[in-house]
Amino acid sequence: MEKKFKITICSGTTCYVLGGAHLMMLEDVLPDDLKEKVEIIGSTCLQACHGENARAPFVRINDYLMENASIPKIVEYLRTH
Amino acid sequence: MSFPSNISDCCVEVDFHQKNCGKQRTGGDVFLSRKLKAQQRVISVLSDGLGSGIKAGVLATLTAVMGINYMSSFRDPAKAARSIMDTLPVCSQRHISYSTFSMVDVDFENDVRIVEYDNPPVMVARENEIINLQRQQIEVARTGKEPAPILLADFHALPGDRIIMISDGVSQSGIGSNSMPFGWGADKAGEYVKTLIVKDPKISAHDLATAIVEKAWLNNGGKALDDITCGVIYFRQPRKLLIMTGPPYDQRKDVMLAELAKNFPGKKIICGGTTANIVSRETGQPVHVLFERIDPDLPPGAAMEGVDLITEGILTVGRVAKYLEDKRDPDNLPQNPATKILRLMLNSDIIDFVVGTRVNEFHQDPNMPVELEIRRNVIKKIAALLEDQQLKETSIQYI
Ligand code: FES
């Protein structure tokens, strides 16, 4: 079954040191109802850290690139979309 | 332990295995090996002290150390043998030397010289056969003692050859048993070596030595009646490892990097997300991040078809440097990506680094060259540690 959200978590150096390490736990902490709707994969660098004033860590949810990503922010996004 | 030999398509791997007699904690057999870096020689000695236990151990150690020292200072093995025989104490009751030995000296052209005194014969295995060495016996005169018969031999080792040194604990194993009343014997041990090599033509020095010692131990019904020791010198093809880290300075070299990743004859590691992405783009192979949380301090590794390991860059490489500096054993570390790199490094003989020197092109941030400096310096440090401590051959190429 096609999941509603495809979440790509960046585990590249920049994202990882700027808070991305916590995001690795996303799958474990998602509420059950959301867990069913998401597919989580990783990326070695979403290429977003290169931009000027880039605000890592980055997560991509379908086509949306979230900067300054955190677990509450991701949950909030999933709830409202 | 392995030493790259001068002939670049061959390297000399030395290892040994041992079981001590009964419950003795100190072996009466000693196997020692030393590399003389400047002369590119590797000298190995197996000595067997009379009896077993601490006294035998001390004598055997003395003999082995002396053997290595004399062998390294004299080009003429007969001279080395003479000096040793002069120094070795003789048992006052039995009039035999306190210790017997075999010494093998391999030079940078893989020319081998062997000196033996009263040990089971050193074997040379070549392509599933034990080859017959021409031995020359010399009588070494000793002041106030019987002259000692010393055997000398030399030959040129070819890639794939193995030299097997055993103590009499191996050749005499099983003695008195129904199946081998006179013991296993050096010839039978040689036959066994052949079957092991036929079964696994690339068997390492470590595994071959272990298998022979285990078999001798089984011949005794699972006991070590004497010290059982086997040393193996293996002239094998060097194992190569390629480590790519950092994107090339010139983007047009991305293709070259991908080609290298594809065609390198050995194991390949990519350290760095951007570098991995470049290779992925050029080869069309996707990168899969592995969500294994083994170590929260290090980003996870990734996998790609055709590459043995992908890790994050600078944090992971920094950790590898730390592990090397602290001489850590990969078996006693969390199995994180840095440990995986360390393990691959220690299992290789030649390690080539390809360091990309592109700095983040979007950034006009003056801090960015710092990242490049760190990358360069850490790699330099790792290469130096691998050369000095682990006796590996390394190269660094900047692209
Ligand atoms: S490291 Fe996350 S976008 Fe580059």
Side-chain angles (χ1 to χ4, degrees):
Chain A
M1 192 187 77
E2 192 65 10
K3 307 269 185 185
K4 185 166 175 208
F5 299 108
K6 181 172 175 179
I7 306 182
T8 312
I9 301 171
C10 182
S11 62
T13 313
T14 312
C15 290
Y16 199 83
V17 295
L18 291 175
H22 301 290
L23 302 175
M24 301 292 134
M25 300 186 308
L26 180 66
E27 177 136 40
D28 299 340
V29 301
L30 268 188
D32 284 343
D33 61 316
L34 288 177
K35 219 177 261 178
E36 293 164 6
K37 299 189 184 144
V38 301
E39 179 198 346
I40 300 175
I41 59 166
S43 163
T44 51
C45 176
L46 286 171
Q47 318 274 348
C49 57
H50 299 328
E52 225 165 306
N53 304 320
R55 295 165 69 202
F58 291 96
V59 163
R60 199 168 50 215
I61 305 175
N62 294 342
D63 290 333
Y64 167 65
L65 182 73
M66 178 184 284
E67 55 178 25
N68 238 332
S70 65
I71 288 177
K73 234 172 124 176
I74 295 170
V75 171
E76 156 99 27
Y77 182 89
L78 298 179
R79 288 251 180 264
T80 52
H81 284 81
Chain B
M1 179 161 47
S2 73
F3 312 113
S5 113
N6 201 32
I7 302 171
S8 61
D9 59 352
C10 192
C11 91
V12 183
E13 179 182 282
V14 186
D15 214 330
F16 75 104
H17 193 73
Q18 185 165 51
K19 271 192 198 294
N20 294 342
C21 178
K23 288 198 165 48
Q24 300 276 11
R25 285 215 289 169
T26 327
D29 290 353
V30 170
F31 183 86
L32 268 189
S33 194
R34 188 184 298 163
K35 182 196 187 190
L36 308 177
K37 209 172 178 188
Q39 302 171 42
Q40 305 206 36
R41 283 165 76 194
V42 183
I43 299 170
S44 310
V45 178
L46 171 62
S47 62
D48 182 351
L50 191 67
S52 64
I54 198 92
K55 190 172 122 198
V58 169
L59 284 160
T61 307
L62 178 79
T63 310
V65 172
M66 227 159 44
I68 291 217
N69 288 339
Y70 285 133
M71 283 298 265
S72 29
S73 36
F74 296 115
R75 278 308 283 181
D76 178 6
K79 247 188 189 160
R82 238 169 248 134
S83 308
I84 295 171
M85 295 316 293
D86 254 349
T87 329
L88 267 186
V90 170
C91 174
S92 52
Q93 286 138 30
R94 297 206 250 168
H95 294 288
I96 49 174
S97 283
Y98 269 120
S99 117
T100 61
F101 57 81
S102 13
M103 309 193 282
V104 176
D105 177 6
V106 180
D107 74 7
F108 69 105
E109 287 179 315
N110 291 348
D111 282 324
V112 181
R113 295 168 312 148
I114 300 174
V115 183
E116 293 167 287
Y117 173 57
D118 220 18
N119 255 3
V122 170
M123 293 182 261
V124 177
R126 173 175 294 166
E127 288 176 359
N128 311 340
E129 287 301 326
I130 303 293
I131 59 174
N132 228 336
L133 282 185
Q134 288 289 355
R135 287 181 163 84
Q136 181 206 346
Q137 180 167 330
I138 56 165
E139 300 288 328
V140 172
R142 295 180 293 176
T143 32
K145 305 165 204 165
E146 297 272 289
I150 300 281
L151 296 174
L152 302 177
D154 50 58
F155 77 103
H156 178 73
L158 301 178
D161 283 0
R162 291 175 176 90
I163 300 173
I164 298 113
M165 303 158 82
I166 53 173
S167 70
D168 59 4
V170 174
S171 54
Q172 292 175 6
S173 63
I175 204 159
S177 66
N178 288 339
S179 56
M180 40 183 97
F182 304 109
W184 198 16
D187 290 346
K188 282 275 162 51
E191 290 297 317
Y192 187 62
V193 168
K194 286 202 292 195
T195 59
L196 289 170
I197 295 175
V198 169
K199 219 195 296 170
D200 178 5
K202 288 208 154 47
I203 187 168
S204 70
H206 172 265
D207 292 353
L208 184 59
T210 307
I212 293 165
V213 169
E214 292 296 331
K215 180 69 168 71
W217 184 73
L218 285 175
N219 290 343
N220 288 338
K223 284 195 279 285
L225 304 171
D226 188 359
D227 298 309
I228 305 176
T229 307
C230 176
V232 174
I233 302 168
Y234 179 19
F235 298 83
R236 63 162 165 74
Q237 282 212 328
R239 285 191 280 261
K240 293 179 110 195
L241 174 66
L242 171 69
I243 298 185
M244 294 166 275
T245 180
Y249 179 79
D250 184 345
Q251 266 186 39
R252 284 171 298 185
K253 291 224 172 114
D254 287 3
V255 188
M256 198 183 103
L257 191 71
E259 284 294 311
L260 197 59
K262 214 160 77 190
N263 300 326
F264 183 79
K267 303 254 181 207
K268 305 150 208 174
I269 303 178
I270 299 177
C271 302
T274 310
T275 320
N277 287 347
I278 289 172
V279 174
S280 164
R281 186 190 67 217
E282 297 295 330
T283 59
Q285 296 291 348
V287 183
H288 302 284
V289 172
L290 308 164
F291 274 99
E292 336 162 281
R293 271 162 278 129
I294 297 149
D295 191 331
D297 291 342
L298 285 184
M304 186 199 301
E305 183 78 32
V307 177
D308 297 276
L309 180 63
I310 296 178
T311 72
E312 176 273 346
I314 200 70
L315 304 174
T316 309
V317 170
R319 184 75 74 87
V320 172
K322 181 91 179 66
Y323 286 163
L324 278 170
E325 221 170 10
D326 299 343
K327 301 206 175 103
R328 298 297 298 267
D329 174 351
D331 287 341
N332 303 326
L333 287 169
Q335 298 307 304
N336 62 33
T339 305
K340 289 183 186 160
I341 296 180
L342 180 68
R343 192 186 301 278
L344 281 169
M345 282 177 166
L346 298 184
N347 280 339
S348 306
D349 306 299
I350 302 176
I351 299 147
D352 294 327
F353 295 91
V354 173
V355 182
T357 54
R358 189 191 313 166
V359 290
N360 199 323
E361 64 267 45
F362 302 101
H363 264 276
Q364 292 309 315
D365 184 346
N367 288 327
M368 282 320 278
V370 173
E371 186 203 316
L372 176 60
E373 261 323 289
I374 296 173
R375 195 189 300 152
R376 261 195 218 160
N377 286 333
V378 178
I379 295 297
K380 263 194 223 155
K381 183 165 153 189
I382 289 178
L385 286 166
L386 287 171
E387 293 242 352
D388 299 341
Q389 290 182 1
Q390 306 295 337
L391 308 172
K392 308 287 183 194
E393 210 174 281
T394 69
S395 75
I396 306 179
Q397 195 190 334
Y398 297 99
I399 58 166

